[in-house]
Amino acid sequence: MGKVFRKLQKKIIGCYDFFNVKKYMKKYTCYLQKCGVHIEDYTSVGYIHPSAYLDPMDYSLFTIGHNVTISKEVMMLVHDFSIWNGMIALDPENEKKRFKFMKPIKIGNNCFVGARSFILPGTTIGDNVIIGAASVVKGNIPPNTVWAGNPAKQICTIEEFAKRHIDKQDFIQI
């Protein structure tokens, strides 16, 4: 029953996103904290799209820093049952048992995770990192870098990224 209530609560909070983003983030941050996610209070900066998926297997394995943007349909997993298949291959008797990886995900301050990206178990993303859309991210991502692809690879530093777009003047200030 608790799982159903949490899903319903998340849907209701997600409706605020259409009317008042600040109110949505305040309520959603509070909701995530109650679920066990280690997250900064998002009062004026940072955004997590309502369609972003935080693996409910163990919310306490998530740490999300200040001013983090998590875009539409991002999937973050803290568990993986693939080890079970490996254990069965070693010994068919292991089929009667259950095995899984459970590893934390940590996202530093001032990060952006692009739409439809996958953040896999055991990933640590440093401060000031941009993850491009549809990237598959695993491992330790150093601070001040831009990553993209499947698997995600470093594209450039955050300074090179910013300078390139300042030179092009291909953005607007809002």
Side-chain angles (χ1 to χ4, degrees), residues 135-150:
S135 296
V136 178
V137 183
K138 182 174 171 65
N140 292 320
I141 307 303
N144 303 306
T145 55
V146 178
W147 289 66
N150 178 6

Side-chain angles (χ1 to χ4, degrees), residues 1 7 25 34 48 52 60 71 79 94 124 142 151 153 167:
M1 187 69 169
K7 277 191 167 225
M25 277 312 301
K34 283 181 184 174
I48 301 172
S60 71
S71 300
H79 84 281
N94 283 328
T124 299
K153 302 237 186 280
D167 291 346

Side-chain angles (χ1 to χ4, degrees), residues 87 105 128 142 151-152:
M87 299 302 274
I105 290 177
N128 306 310

Side-chain angles (χ1 to χ4, degrees), residues 20-171:
N20 186 330
V21 173
K22 284 186 180 184
K23 196 173 206 174
Y24 159 72
M25 277 312 301
K26 185 173 182 168
K27 289 189 176 296
Y28 192 45
T29 299
C30 185
Y31 166 81
L32 290 174
Q33 288 170 334
K34 283 181 184 174
C35 288
V37 175
H38 307 282
I39 185 171
E40 298 282 336
D41 287 324
Y42 280 37
T43 52
S44 61
V45 291
Y47 177 76
I48 301 172
H49 194 275
S51 67
Y53 179 81
L54 278 72
D55 186 353
M57 190 68 74
D58 187 347
Y59 285 114
S60 71
L61 293 175
F62 288 98
T63 302
I64 301 172
H66 181 70
N67 192 30
V68 172
T69 298
I70 299 174
S71 300
K72 189 175 189 170
E73 297 175 2
V74 169
M75 182 167 287
M76 297 187 287
L77 300 172
V78 294
H79 84 281
D80 179 351
F81 282 98
S82 65
I83 188 66
W84 190 19
N85 294 78
M87 299 302 274
I88 293 168
L90 288 177
D91 181 3
E93 286 295 311
N94 283 328
E95 189 171 357
K96 298 173 189 161
K97 303 171 188 170
R98 303 250 320 169
F99 300 93
K100 65 182 174 186
F101 291 111
M102 291 290 290
K103 297 181 181 178
I105 290 177
K106 296 178 184 171
I107 301 176
N109 298 317
N110 195 40
C111 293
F112 176 89
V113 181
R116 294 193 172 170
S117 291
F118 286 82
I119 311 298
L120 299 177
T123 299
T124 299
I125 298 173
D127 293 344
N128 306 310
V129 170
I130 296 173
I131 304 294
S135 296
V136 178
V137 183
K138 182 174 171 65
N140 292 320
I141 307 303
N144 303 306
T145 55
V146 178
W147 289 66
N150 178 6
K153 302 237 186 280
Q154 185 175 337
I155 304 301
C156 60
T157 67
I158 198 83
E159 291 85 5
E160 292 167 338
F161 175 83
K163 180 150 179 31
R164 185 178 316 136
H165 290 286
I166 288 169
D167 291 346
K168 287 181 179 179
Q169 288 293 303
D170 61 352
F171 61 92

